[in-house]
Amino acid sequence: MSNLVSVPKNGSLTNTNSNSNFPTLSNWLDDIFNRDLPSVFTSNFNTGITLPKVNIKETADAFMVEMAVPGLKKSDFQIDLDNQVLSISTETKEEKEQKGENYTRREFGYSSFKRTFNLPESVNDESINASYLDGILSIVLPKKEEAKQKPVRSIKVL
């Protein structure tokens, strides 16, 4: 006597005795590779610090760059301008050592980042200034006089 197997419209064969609670190897691998990577893989491995977020705002007179980088000192920043490219970077190292009667504990920490921005020709690169307050690095990029927006004026028809 032969057993007939019903074939669904999509053409796949199904086993009615299978336990659907156990994932197949392909489903398990798909699950691993299709989910988001843990934040430990998308951040700095040593410290968990990610690339700092930046806000850029334009006014009539300047561009303003604000970067959230709490926990640093003013002296930790290196800001360079080279060929209309603004580079903001920092590198911090920390070493701790604790000695006990039967042990020595050492911890090393390292974090760094570098962000670069291509500046428009309208920036007056001689007047750029930066400040650091309450974890926010602020950089003001003043515009050249000819690039500043002029106020609206009315023209009379003669």
Side-chain angles (χ1 to χ4, degrees):
M1 180 172 188
S2 68
N3 290 336
L4 294 176
V5 176
S6 63
V7 178
K9 289 183 181 180
N10 66 4
S12 67
L13 293 175
T14 58
N15 181 353
T16 56
N17 293 331
S18 69
N19 188 345
S20 62
N21 292 332
F22 292 107
T24 64
L25 178 60
S26 65
N27 288 345
W28 182 72
L29 288 173
D30 285 345
D31 185 45
I32 288 175
F33 290 111
N34 288 332
R35 74 172 66 144
D36 290 333
L37 290 174
S39 62
V40 70
F41 293 117
T42 58
S43 64
N44 183 319
F45 285 100
N46 292 333
T47 62
I49 294 175
T50 58
L51 202 56
K53 303 288 185 196
V54 175
N55 290 330
I56 300 174
K57 181 171 65 171
E58 181 179 10
T59 66
D61 298 329
F63 296 96
M64 294 189 248
V65 177
E66 294 178 328
M67 183 179 291
V69 281
L72 298 175
K73 300 180 295 243
K74 291 178 185 181
S75 60
D76 290 336
F77 295 101
Q78 178 72 37
I79 302 174
D80 297 312
L81 181 64
D82 183 24
N83 243 1
Q84 292 300 109
V85 176
L86 180 72
S87 299
I88 305 165
S89 61
T90 185
E91 181 177 318
T92 57
K93 297 176 185 176
E94 185 178 350
E95 295 182 25
K96 292 181 183 177
E97 185 173 319
Q98 181 180 7
K99 292 188 178 193
E101 188 175 315
N102 296 326
Y103 68 92
T104 299
R105 177 181 171 176
R106 291 185 182 151
E107 292 183 23
F108 302 93
Y110 175 83
S111 66
S112 68
F113 73 83
K114 182 174 186 175
R115 299 281 316 249
T116 59
F117 304 93
N118 291 320
L119 299 183
E121 291 291 326
S122 59
V123 170
N124 180 356
D125 59 2
E126 298 297 321
S127 301
I128 296 173
N129 61 58
S131 61
Y132 182 66
L133 182 65
D134 297 331
I136 304 292
L137 176 66
S138 300
I139 302 172
V140 177
L141 308 161
K143 292 180 180 178
K144 295 177 182 174
E145 274 307 312
E146 61 270 13
K148 292 181 182 178
Q149 291 178 351
K150 307 275 191 258
V152 176
R153 67 181 182 105
S154 295
I155 300 172
K156 290 186 180 183
V157 178
L158 301 175

